[in-house]
Amino acid sequence: MHLSGHCVCASDPQFVEEKGIRAEDLVIGALESAFQECDEVIGRELEASGQVGGCTALVAVSLQGKLYVANAGDSRAILVRKDEVRPLSSEFTPETERQRIQQLAFVYPELLAGEFTRLEFPRRLKGDDLGQKVLFRDHHMRGWSYKCVEKSDLKYPLIHGQGRQARLLGTLAVSRGLGDHQLRVLDTNIQLKPFLLSVPQVTVLDVDQLELQEEDVVVMATDGLWDVLSNEQVAQLVRSFLPGNREDPHRFSELAQMLIHSTQGKDDGPTEGQVSYDDISVFVIPLHNQGQRSDGH
C-alpha cells in the first residue's frame, strides 16, 4: 500500500485489513529503516577512512497532515502551544534502557569479557561488602531484591552512575545512536556497539486535529539545552519571545539563538547560573498553516 492507498502487490489488501495497517505505519517503517541503513553506511565509511565516532539523531518529518518525530539518543523534541507543552520524544540512556541492556548481557555474557557485572547495585561494591546483603536488580526485574555479595559482584557495573552521569560500560551516556562501530572500552577489546541501537522511537502528532495558532512551534534540541532548561522553561521563553516579534521574518531562528544563549549562566536568566558546556543545536519549527495545506506536502 502506497501512501496514496494504491496496491503494491496482490496480497496487500487482505493483509493490510487483517493487520490494521495504516498509512502512518508505512512512514514509521520508512524512518526506522532509514536510521538502520544510515547506521550501516556510517559504519562502512568509518571503516574505509579509518575514522571513529558516533552521534545521536533526531528527525521530524511533516507529511499528509501529520508530524513524525524519530529519535535515537538523548536529544529531545517538544510541542509548545499557548496552553500546552507536549513531549514528542523520549531520551534513550543506559538508565532508561537498563533492562534491555542487561538482557543482552544475560543472553550473550561473552560481551562483557569477564570484566563487568550486568547486575545493578545502589553503589559501587567493595571488598568489605563480601558476604553482606545488598539491594540489586537484574534484567527481569523492575523492582529491587536482596542478595549476598559474591566476588563476581565486585566487578565494574555494566551500567554505572545516576541521571546524566549514568554510563554504559563506563564509557557512553546514550544507549541509541548512529556510528561508534569501532568504539571500545578504554584499554580493552570490549565493544560497545552490540549494546547500541540505531532504531528510533517514532512519535506521531496529528497536526490536522490541532487548532494551530501562529506561535505554535516544535523545539528540537540536543542534550546540551535540556541539561539546564526544563520543558516548561523552554516553553516560557518561547511564549515570552514570539508574541512581541511577529513582524520579524527571522524570529524563529532568533528564538533558537536566544535559547542557546539562555544556557550560558546569566544571573538574570532562567538557568540561575547553571551553564551548559556541551555543544548545542536548536531548531524552532513553526507549525501554523502546516495542518491547513491541501497539497499533502
Side-chain angles (χ1 to χ4, degrees):
M1 184 179 68
H2 278 293
L3 292 178
S4 63
H6 294 145
C7 212
V8 175
C9 64
S11 62
D12 272 359
Q14 183 178 352
F15 183 79
V16 166
E17 185 175 349
E18 289 175 351
K19 292 291 185 180
I21 298 174
R22 302 158 298 171
E24 69 179 53
D25 294 318
L26 298 177
V27 182
I28 293 171
L31 283 165
E32 292 168 335
S33 298
F35 271 63
Q36 184 70 32
E37 184 175 338
C38 185
D39 185 57
E40 293 170 359
V41 171
I42 289 173
R44 291 195 295 269
E45 291 184 352
L46 289 175
E47 184 176 10
S49 63
Q51 295 179 316
V52 296
C55 66
T56 62
L58 178 64
V59 174
V61 176
S62 178
L63 185 66
Q64 294 187 343
K66 294 183 179 180
L67 185 73
Y68 299 82
V69 178
N71 185 45
D74 57 358
S75 296
R76 186 188 303 175
I78 63 172
L79 168 68
V80 179
R81 309 183 70 199
K82 183 178 180 181
D83 301 311
E84 179 187 13
V85 183
R86 187 186 307 184
L88 297 178
S89 65
S90 301
E91 281 97 300
F92 292 100
T93 68
E95 273 194 317
T96 63
E97 294 209 280
R98 173 188 62 84
Q99 286 184 274
R100 176 186 70 78
I101 293 168
Q102 286 181 319
Q103 170 76 17
L104 192 62
F106 170 73
V107 176
Y108 303 103
E110 63 273 14
L111 294 175
L112 303 183
E115 298 291 330
F116 292 82
T117 173
R118 73 170 187 273
L119 302 182
E120 179 186 14
F121 300 101
R123 58 179 174 81
R124 179 76 192 279
L125 299 180
K126 302 178 181 178
D128 294 343
D129 295 311
L130 282 171
Q132 301 296 316
K133 279 192 173 182
V134 296
L135 287 165
F136 83 102
R137 284 199 296 190
D138 203 350
H139 65 93
H140 59 280
M141 303 166 62
R142 290 183 59 195
W144 293 81
S145 187
Y146 283 96
K147 76 180 301 280
C148 287
V149 177
E150 306 170 38
K151 190 174 181 180
S152 61
D153 299 326
L154 303 182
K155 296 175 182 177
Y156 200 87
L158 172 61
I159 299 170
H160 184 60
Q162 304 292 327
R164 292 286 181 180
Q165 304 305 314
R167 293 293 183 271
L168 171 60
L169 294 172
T171 306
L172 273 183
V174 295
S175 55
R176 298 198 190 193
L178 306 176
D180 285 323
H181 293 72
Q182 307 301 322
L183 184 62
R184 286 170 168 75
V185 177
L186 185 65
D187 295 330
T188 76
N189 201 38
I190 300 174
Q191 293 185 315
L192 281 92
K193 187 62 177 177
F195 294 97
L196 300 177
L197 278 183
S198 59
V199 180
Q201 180 189 64
V202 182
T203 302
V204 184
L205 176 67
D206 196 337
V207 179
D208 278 348
Q209 298 301 311
L210 301 176
E211 295 182 5
L212 293 173
Q213 305 299 316
E214 191 173 344
E215 278 84 34
D216 292 347
V217 297
V218 169
V219 178
M220 303 169 63
T222 53
D223 62 314
L225 182 77
W226 310 109
D227 283 345
V228 296
L229 290 175
S230 67
N231 292 358
E232 287 292 342
Q233 286 174 319
V234 169
Q236 289 173 9
L237 290 169
V238 170
R239 292 166 183 153
S240 64
F241 181 87
L242 287 179
N245 293 274
R246 286 178 178 168
E247 303 305 317
D248 186 348
H250 306 293
R251 61 190 180 280
F252 298 108
S253 57
E254 289 171 358
L255 172 56
Q257 293 174 8
M258 186 266 283
L259 289 173
I260 293 175
H261 293 156
S262 298
T263 67
Q264 302 309 302
K266 300 292 190 297
D267 292 335
D268 58 346
T271 61
E272 298 178 352
Q274 282 187 293
V275 180
S276 177
Y277 295 101
D278 205 348
D279 55 324
I280 302 175
S281 297
V282 176
F283 290 82
V284 177
I285 304 172
L287 291 180
H288 190 237
N289 292 331
Q290 285 294 313
Q292 302 169 16
R293 295 173 61 176
S294 59
D295 57 4
H297 295 294

